[in-house]
Amino acid sequence: MSTESPKPAVRRTRLTPEREAELYEAVLAILREVGYDALTMDAVAARTHSSKATLYRQWRGKPELVANALRHNKPGSLEGVDTGTVRGDLHAMVCQADAEQMEKDTALLRGLGHAVHTNPELHRALREVLVEPEMGWLDEMLRRAVRRGELAADNPAIPFVAHMMIGGFLARPLIEDRAPDAEFLTHYVDAVIIPALGV
Amino acid sequence: MSTESPKPAVRRTRLTPEREAELYEAVLAILREVGYDALTMDAVAARTHSSKATLYRQWRGKPELVANALRHNKPGSLEGVDTGTVRGDLHAMVCQADAEQMEKDTALLRGLGHAVHTNPELHRALREVLVEPEMGWLDEMLRRAVRRGELAADNPAIPFVAHMMIGGFLARPLIEDRAPDAEFLTHYVDAVIIPALGV
């Protein structure tokens, strides 16, 4: 039975945004080189000249560090987007997509694919850090459109906007062997999502 | 310089459909057990009590055998579907989807993911045997709808029906941690694809 007082839950502390970005880039580079299973906190510490204590203090563990590095890298988020129309918001989101970056991401996610399904902690971290926040911003965006009167609250396509969007991102490599870019995705939004929502 | 006359290109010969199905099931079982890289024609021959000569005569090689086994297994094809309406055709396609089978397929495709991107022959076989035929049937289905006057030839959503459909199949596991089933996909067709096409 410890008599120490519990540590405060603050994990985001003193790293500058530049330093944080540097650490994330190093994590992604190691991930591409050796994959998730072979990535160690020791290797990240060595590559970034930081102490393992710092890494654990900031990110708790490897699944959280990797999930945050992926989030840092992710193109096409609705975070902070609010243009005043559904079409403007979706265009703003997909305009962040860069084809070259997306090729690299696809290679990265492919390497993660196996680990995501065999490692429940990585799975949970990716849901918490990537999937759930993004779904939250999408919900917020659609709720704003309903409040503005742009969208009827019972529009049957509302629950499927994420599915349509994911189709745009994932189907092009399968069908055309090419990564999606901002031009393709903007066209997809106009041809598919806007008509399906009827806005 | 050989003086032999070229062998006829016929590869589909004497196997009964039942025997072919049996072979495909065995290939998929081995794939699930050991993955693509470790699957050997010897193992398939041993498991199915057939000769390697038969396997090579029928399928040319491992990439083609695996691609055909996956095609045999695939739920949700438009092959042979012609109900007279776009909505009917899409419903007929997705009604083939069985949630339990889809879970197994997802596990299978996950295991293949890495090999698809490192093995150009498997990549090519999957495109030839799975992707291109399916895209052909989809094109045919949409062309029929245009001929019937159900769809305008310049409807901007036409080039993206496959992307929307793939979104329905792939996004649910990512968003909800569940495989799509016929009920979900039928609802998705009605809420998304039909409104996007405006039929």
Side-chain angles (χ1 to χ4, degrees), chain A residues 110 117 123 127 174-175 177, chain B residues 110 117 127 174-175 177:
Chain A
R110 219 178 278 150
H117 291 96
H123 184 95
R127 289 204 73 81
L174 295 174
I175 297 171
D177 257 332
Chain B
R110 218 178 278 148
H117 291 96
R127 288 203 74 79
L174 295 173
I175 298 171
D177 259 333

Side-chain angles (χ1 to χ4, degrees), chain A residues 145 162 187:
Chain A
H187 187 41

Side-chain angles (χ1 to χ4, degrees), chain B residues 18-33 44 47-48 65 68-70 72-74 101 104 108:
Chain B
E18 292 73 22
R19 180 67 179 139
E20 203 174 287
E22 228 173 81
L23 282 161
Y24 289 147
E25 292 300 333
V27 170
L28 298 175
I30 300 173
L31 258 184
R32 285 192 201 96
E33 288 162 25
V44 176
R47 177 88 58 108
T48 58
L65 174 56
N68 278 287
L70 286 167
H72 165 74
N73 188 50
K74 188 166 59 72
Q101 186 60 47
K104 277 168 82 181
L108 203 57

Side-chain angles (χ1 to χ4, degrees), chain B:
Chain B
M1 275 192 278
S2 167
T3 55
E4 287 179 56
S5 56
K7 284 186 184 164
V10 177
R11 286 181 290 122
R12 298 295 157 146
T13 48
R14 301 294 100 88
L15 295 189
T16 63
E18 292 73 22
R19 180 67 179 139
E20 203 174 287
E22 228 173 81
L23 282 161
Y24 289 147
E25 292 300 333
V27 170
L28 298 175
I30 300 173
L31 258 184
R32 285 192 201 96
E33 288 162 25
V34 302
Y36 181 80
D37 290 329
L39 177 145
T40 63
M41 293 299 258
D42 279 312
V44 176
R47 177 88 58 108
T48 58
H49 308 289
S50 39
S51 75
K52 269 170 70 179
T54 303
L55 299 180
Y56 279 105
R57 196 164 47 235
Q58 287 284 121
W59 290 284
R60 196 166 26 166
K62 176 170 133 176
E64 292 80 7
L65 174 56
V66 167
N68 278 287
L70 286 167
R71 175 179 171 187
H72 165 74
N73 188 50
K74 188 166 59 72
S77 171
L78 276 167
E79 185 176 10
V81 168
D82 183 4
T83 66
T85 65
V86 170
R87 183 163 182 262
D89 287 353
L90 291 173
H91 280 198
M93 173 178 69
V94 301
C95 280
Q96 302 163 31
D98 170 277
E100 201 179 320
Q101 186 60 47
M102 302 270 311
E103 296 273 13
K104 277 168 82 181
D105 288 354
T106 311
L108 203 57
L109 291 172
R110 218 178 278 148
L112 269 176
H114 185 68
V116 173
H117 291 96
T118 52
N119 185 321
E121 286 178 16
L122 176 62
H123 185 94
R124 191 178 329 117
L126 288 173
R127 288 203 74 79
E128 280 178 23
V129 175
L130 280 173
V131 179
E132 282 158 22
E134 200 56 52
M135 294 304 292
W137 296 315
L138 177 60
D139 274 357
E140 228 347 279
M141 187 273 267
L142 293 166
R143 246 191 285 269
R144 285 196 308 267
V146 171
R147 278 200 301 269
R148 282 193 304 262
E150 196 184 357
L151 215 51
D154 61 352
N155 185 311
I158 286 181
F160 299 114
V161 173
H163 301 74
M164 289 189 261
M165 208 62 245
I166 289 171
F169 277 91
L170 295 186
R172 200 185 201 201
L174 295 173
I175 298 171
E176 298 176 56
D177 259 333
R178 296 169 64 186
D181 53 22
E183 189 188 345
F184 169 82
L185 290 168
T186 304
H187 187 42
Y188 181 75
V189 165
D190 287 344
V192 164
I193 305 187
I194 297 302
L197 288 170
V199 291

